[in-house]
Protein backbone atom coordinates (compact mmCIF):
# COMPACT_ATOMS: atom_id res chain seq x y z
CA UNK A 1 0.00 0.00 0.00
CA UNK A 2 1.33 3.44 -0.93
CA UNK A 3 0.99 5.97 1.91
CA UNK A 4 1.41 9.75 1.61
CA UNK A 5 1.82 12.02 4.63
CA UNK A 6 1.59 15.76 4.03
CA UNK A 7 0.29 19.06 5.37
CA UNK A 8 -0.90 22.40 4.02
CA UNK A 9 -2.92 25.48 4.88
CA UNK A 10 -5.49 27.35 2.83
CA UNK A 11 -8.32 29.84 3.18
CA UNK A 12 -10.65 27.53 5.11
CA UNK A 13 -13.54 28.36 7.43
CA UNK A 14 -12.31 25.69 9.83
CA UNK A 15 -8.55 26.25 9.68
CA UNK A 16 -8.95 30.03 9.92
CA UNK A 17 -10.99 29.66 13.08
CA UNK A 18 -8.62 27.08 14.58
CA UNK A 19 -5.91 29.71 14.29
CA UNK A 20 -8.10 32.53 15.59
CA UNK A 21 -9.53 30.68 18.59
CA UNK A 22 -6.62 28.29 19.36
CA UNK A 23 -8.71 25.18 18.75
CA UNK A 24 -7.58 21.82 17.34
CA UNK A 25 -9.82 19.64 15.16
CA UNK A 26 -9.68 16.00 14.22
CA UNK A 27 -11.77 15.79 11.07
CA UNK A 28 -13.34 13.04 9.01
CA UNK A 29 -14.66 14.18 5.63
CA UNK A 30 -17.91 12.35 4.98
CA UNK A 31 -18.27 13.22 1.31
CA UNK A 32 -18.92 16.02 -1.15
CA UNK A 33 -21.48 16.95 -3.78
CA UNK A 34 -21.29 19.50 -6.61
CA UNK A 35 -24.47 21.51 -7.26
CA UNK A 36 -24.86 24.78 -9.17
CA UNK A 37 -21.06 25.21 -9.37
CA UNK A 38 -20.81 24.91 -5.59
CA UNK A 39 -18.97 22.13 -3.75
CA UNK A 40 -20.91 20.97 -0.67
CA UNK A 41 -18.70 19.11 1.83
CA UNK A 42 -19.92 17.28 4.93
CA UNK A 43 -17.64 16.44 7.84
CA UNK A 44 -17.41 15.25 11.41
CA UNK A 45 -15.02 17.10 13.71
CA UNK A 46 -13.78 16.54 17.25
CA UNK A 47 -12.84 19.84 18.92
CA UNK A 48 -10.04 20.22 21.47
CA UNK A 49 -9.22 23.40 23.38
CA UNK A 50 -10.44 25.59 26.20
CA UNK A 51 -14.18 25.42 26.74
CA UNK A 52 -14.62 29.15 26.15
CA UNK A 53 -12.49 29.01 22.97
CA UNK A 54 -14.52 26.11 21.59
CA UNK A 55 -17.71 28.06 22.29
CA UNK A 56 -16.35 31.09 20.41
CA UNK A 57 -15.25 28.81 17.56
CA UNK A 58 -18.71 27.27 17.16
CA UNK A 59 -20.60 30.56 17.57
CA UNK A 60 -18.40 32.14 14.92
CA UNK A 61 -18.88 29.18 12.59
CA UNK A 62 -22.66 29.40 12.92
CA UNK A 63 -22.48 32.92 11.47
CA UNK A 64 -20.57 31.75 8.41
CA UNK A 65 -22.80 32.19 5.35
CA UNK A 66 -21.40 29.12 3.61
CA UNK A 67 -22.50 26.79 6.43
CA UNK A 68 -25.74 25.04 5.49
CA UNK A 69 -25.92 22.53 8.35
CA UNK A 70 -24.27 22.47 11.77
CA UNK A 71 -24.88 20.34 14.84
CA UNK A 72 -22.86 20.23 18.07
CA UNK A 73 -22.96 17.54 20.75
CA UNK A 74 -20.40 18.16 23.49
CA UNK A 75 -17.13 18.40 21.49
CA UNK A 76 -18.48 16.52 18.47
CA UNK A 77 -19.37 18.79 15.56
CA UNK A 78 -21.12 17.89 12.30
CA UNK A 79 -21.08 20.40 9.45
CA UNK A 80 -21.99 20.86 5.82
CA UNK A 81 -20.61 23.88 4.00
CA UNK A 82 -20.16 25.00 0.43
CA UNK A 83 -17.41 26.65 -1.54
CA UNK A 84 -16.36 27.03 -5.15
CA UNK A 85 -12.85 25.80 -4.44
CA UNK A 86 -11.97 23.09 -1.92
CA UNK A 87 -8.96 20.72 -1.88
CA UNK A 88 -11.07 17.75 -0.77
CA UNK A 89 -12.97 17.91 -4.10
CA UNK A 90 -9.96 16.17 -5.69
CA UNK A 91 -10.33 13.16 -3.41
CA UNK A 92 -10.74 9.93 -5.37
CA UNK A 93 -12.90 7.08 -3.97
CA UNK A 94 -10.07 4.67 -4.78
CA UNK A 95 -8.00 6.39 -2.07
CA UNK A 96 -8.77 6.28 1.64
CA UNK A 97 -7.84 8.09 4.82
CA UNK A 98 -5.70 6.16 7.30
CA UNK A 99 -6.52 8.64 10.07
CA UNK A 100 -8.68 11.72 10.55
CA UNK A 101 -7.28 14.97 9.21
CA UNK A 102 -5.68 16.95 12.03
CA UNK A 103 -6.25 20.71 11.78
CA UNK A 104 -3.89 22.34 14.26
CA UNK A 105 -4.01 25.67 16.09
CA UNK A 106 -2.02 27.31 13.29
CA UNK A 107 -4.64 26.33 10.72
CA UNK A 108 -2.56 23.60 9.04
CA UNK A 109 -4.23 20.40 7.88
CA UNK A 110 -2.24 17.17 8.33
CA UNK A 111 -3.23 14.23 6.13
CA UNK A 112 -2.35 10.54 5.87
CA UNK A 113 -3.65 9.09 2.63
CA UNK A 114 -3.31 5.61 1.11
CA UNK A 115 -3.99 3.90 -2.21
CA UNK A 116 -2.88 0.92 -4.27
CA UNK A 117 -2.39 3.28 -7.21
CA UNK A 118 0.57 5.68 -7.09
CA UNK A 119 -0.85 7.66 -10.02
CA UNK A 120 -3.98 8.56 -8.02
CA UNK A 121 -1.97 9.87 -5.08
CA UNK A 122 0.43 11.76 -7.33
CA UNK A 123 -2.47 13.40 -9.17
CA UNK A 124 -4.19 14.33 -5.89
CA UNK A 125 -1.02 15.92 -4.56
CA UNK A 126 -0.45 17.80 -7.81
CA UNK A 127 -4.04 19.07 -7.91
CA UNK A 128 -4.24 20.34 -4.33
CA UNK A 129 -0.90 22.17 -4.54
CA UNK A 130 -2.51 24.60 -6.99
CA UNK A 131 -5.19 25.42 -4.38
CA UNK A 132 -3.28 25.60 -1.08
CA UNK A 133 -0.40 27.35 0.68
CA UNK A 134 2.51 26.02 2.73
CA UNK A 135 2.30 22.54 1.24
CA UNK A 136 4.82 20.10 2.72
CA UNK A 137 5.18 16.44 1.78
CA UNK A 138 6.60 14.46 4.72
CA UNK A 139 6.80 11.11 2.98
CA UNK A 140 5.34 8.96 0.23
CA UNK A 141 6.29 5.32 0.48
CA UNK A 142 5.14 1.72 0.53
CA UNK A 143 3.84 0.56 3.91
CA UNK A 144 2.22 -2.61 5.18
CA UNK A 145 -0.92 -1.46 6.94
CA UNK A 146 -2.52 -3.64 9.58
CA UNK A 147 -5.04 -1.06 10.79
CA UNK A 148 -6.76 2.20 9.90
CA UNK A 149 -8.29 4.79 12.21
CA UNK A 150 -11.98 3.86 11.97
CA UNK A 151 -14.67 4.63 12.93
CA UNK A 152 -14.05 6.79 16.00
CA UNK A 153 -11.94 9.96 16.12
CA UNK A 154 -11.08 9.40 19.78
CA UNK A 155 -11.10 5.63 20.38
CA UNK A 156 -11.53 4.05 23.79
CA UNK A 157 -10.81 7.14 25.88
CA UNK A 158 -12.58 7.49 29.19
CA UNK A 159 -13.92 10.93 30.03
CA UNK A 160 -11.09 11.51 32.52
CA UNK A 161 -8.40 10.44 30.05
CA UNK A 162 -9.86 12.74 27.42
CA UNK A 163 -9.99 15.70 29.81
CA UNK A 164 -6.47 14.98 31.06
CA UNK A 165 -4.86 15.11 27.61
CA UNK A 166 -6.92 18.12 26.52
CA UNK A 167 -5.74 20.01 29.63
CA UNK A 168 -2.11 19.09 28.86
CA UNK A 169 -2.44 20.35 25.28
CA UNK A 170 -4.26 23.50 26.34
CA UNK A 171 -1.70 24.41 29.01
CA UNK A 172 1.29 23.87 26.74
CA UNK A 173 2.66 20.71 28.32
CA UNK A 174 3.80 19.45 24.91
CA UNK A 175 5.47 22.71 23.90
CA UNK A 176 9.26 22.93 23.73
CA UNK A 177 10.16 24.08 26.30
CA UNK A 178 7.15 23.01 28.36
CA UNK A 179 4.88 25.80 29.58
CA UNK A 180 3.75 23.82 32.59
CA UNK A 181 4.51 20.73 34.71
CA UNK A 182 2.65 17.57 35.60
CA UNK A 183 2.32 18.80 39.19
CA UNK A 184 0.64 22.02 38.04
CA UNK A 185 -1.62 20.12 35.68
CA UNK A 186 -2.66 17.72 38.45
CA UNK A 187 -3.53 20.71 40.65
CA UNK A 188 -5.61 22.24 37.87
CA UNK A 189 -7.24 18.85 37.31
CA UNK A 190 -8.07 18.55 41.01
CA UNK A 191 -6.41 15.24 41.78
CA UNK A 192 -3.19 13.69 43.04
CA UNK A 193 -0.12 13.85 40.83
CA UNK A 194 0.06 10.06 40.43
CA UNK A 195 -3.62 9.88 39.45
CA UNK A 196 -3.36 12.59 36.82
CA UNK A 197 -0.13 11.12 35.46
CA UNK A 198 -1.83 7.74 35.03
CA UNK A 199 -4.79 9.27 33.14
CA UNK A 200 -2.42 11.19 30.88
CA UNK A 201 -0.10 8.27 30.17
CA UNK A 202 -2.96 6.01 29.12
CA UNK A 203 -4.45 8.75 26.92
CA UNK A 204 -1.06 9.43 25.33
CA UNK A 205 -0.61 5.76 24.50
CA UNK A 206 -3.93 5.78 22.64
CA UNK A 207 -3.93 9.23 21.04
CA UNK A 208 -0.54 10.90 20.70
CA UNK A 209 1.06 8.45 18.22
CA UNK A 210 -1.86 8.99 15.84
CA UNK A 211 -2.07 12.75 16.33
CA UNK A 212 1.60 13.47 15.62
CA UNK A 213 2.46 10.69 13.17
CA UNK A 214 2.60 13.22 10.31
CA UNK A 215 5.95 14.34 11.70
CA UNK A 216 7.52 10.91 11.33
Amino acid sequence: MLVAKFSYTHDCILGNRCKKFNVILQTIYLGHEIKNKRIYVSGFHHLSGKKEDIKKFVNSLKKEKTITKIELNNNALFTTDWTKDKPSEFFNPNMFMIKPVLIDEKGYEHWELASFDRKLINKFLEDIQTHVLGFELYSIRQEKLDDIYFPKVMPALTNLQKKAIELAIREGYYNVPKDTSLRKLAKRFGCALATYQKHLQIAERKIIPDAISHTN
Side-chain angles (χ1 to χ4, degrees):
M1 186 74 66
L2 190 70
V3 177
K5 301 179 183 181
F6 56 94
S7 68
Y8 62 80
T9 185
H10 65 120
D11 187 13
C12 169
I13 62 173
L14 297 175
N16 293 348
R17 285 171 171 82
C18 284
K19 186 176 180 179
K20 181 177 180 180
F21 299 110
N22 199 35
V23 169
I24 297 172
L25 296 186
Q26 286 176 288
T27 293
I28 297 175
Y29 292 107
L30 304 176
H32 74 272
E33 180 182 14
I34 300 177
K35 292 191 304 184
N36 300 322
K37 298 182 179 180
R38 290 180 175 179
I39 304 162
Y40 291 82
V41 178
S42 297
F44 168 79
H45 323 276
H46 182 275
L47 299 90
S48 299
K50 293 182 179 179
K51 186 175 181 179
E52 57 269 28
D53 290 338
I54 290 176
K55 184 177 180 180
K56 291 177 183 177
F57 178 100
V58 175
N59 287 341
S60 174
L61 197 60
K62 287 179 178 178
K63 298 175 183 177
E64 175 61 52
K65 66 180 181 180
T66 61
I67 288 285
T68 59
K69 295 179 182 178
I70 185 168
E71 181 177 313
L72 179 69
N73 181 21
N74 295 320
N75 284 15
L77 179 69
F78 291 87
T79 62
T80 299
D81 69 288
W82 66 267
T83 182
K84 294 183 178 180
D85 182 16
K86 206 172 187 77
S88 56
E89 72 175 283
F90 301 113
F91 194 83
N92 186 292
N94 290 312
M95 302 184 299
F96 61 91
M97 305 300 300
I98 298 175
K99 298 169 184 174
V101 175
L102 176 70
I103 308 179
D104 65 27
E105 67 274 23
K106 294 182 181 179
Y108 276 82
E109 298 188 13
H110 303 273
W111 289 58
E112 292 195 26
L113 187 64
S115 177
F116 289 106
D117 191 338
R118 175 180 286 271
K119 291 181 180 179
L120 289 180
I121 289 186
N122 287 342
K123 186 176 187 308
F124 178 80
L125 295 178
E126 290 173 4
D127 288 340
I128 65 170
Q129 287 184 65
T130 64
H131 292 70
V132 303
L133 300 172
F135 179 87
E136 184 172 355
L137 179 64
Y138 297 110
S139 64
I140 179 167
R141 61 194 178 195
Q142 291 289 337
E143 293 187 17
K144 293 183 178 180
L145 300 179
D146 58 7
D147 193 16
I148 60 173
Y149 210 52
F150 179 84
K152 293 186 178 180
V153 174
M154 279 210 165
L157 280 187
T158 67
N159 190 47
L160 288 175
Q161 291 164 6
K162 177 174 173 292
K163 288 183 177 180
I165 198 164
E166 288 187 346
L167 177 64
I169 294 171
R170 190 165 66 240
E171 297 298 316
Y173 178 70
Y174 297 106
N175 292 348
V176 180
K178 295 181 185 296
D179 293 335
T180 188
S181 65
L182 284 174
R183 191 172 299 278
K184 290 179 180 179
L185 289 173
K187 186 176 181 180
R188 287 287 303 274
F189 204 69
C191 69
L193 173 60
T195 301
Y196 176 79
Q197 191 170 23
K198 182 178 180 180
H199 289 318
L200 186 62
Q201 287 175 339
I202 295 174
E204 286 175 340
R205 189 172 68 242
K206 297 175 181 177
I207 296 299
I208 292 299
D210 288 339
I212 65 172
S213 61
H214 62 271
T215 63
N216 292 339

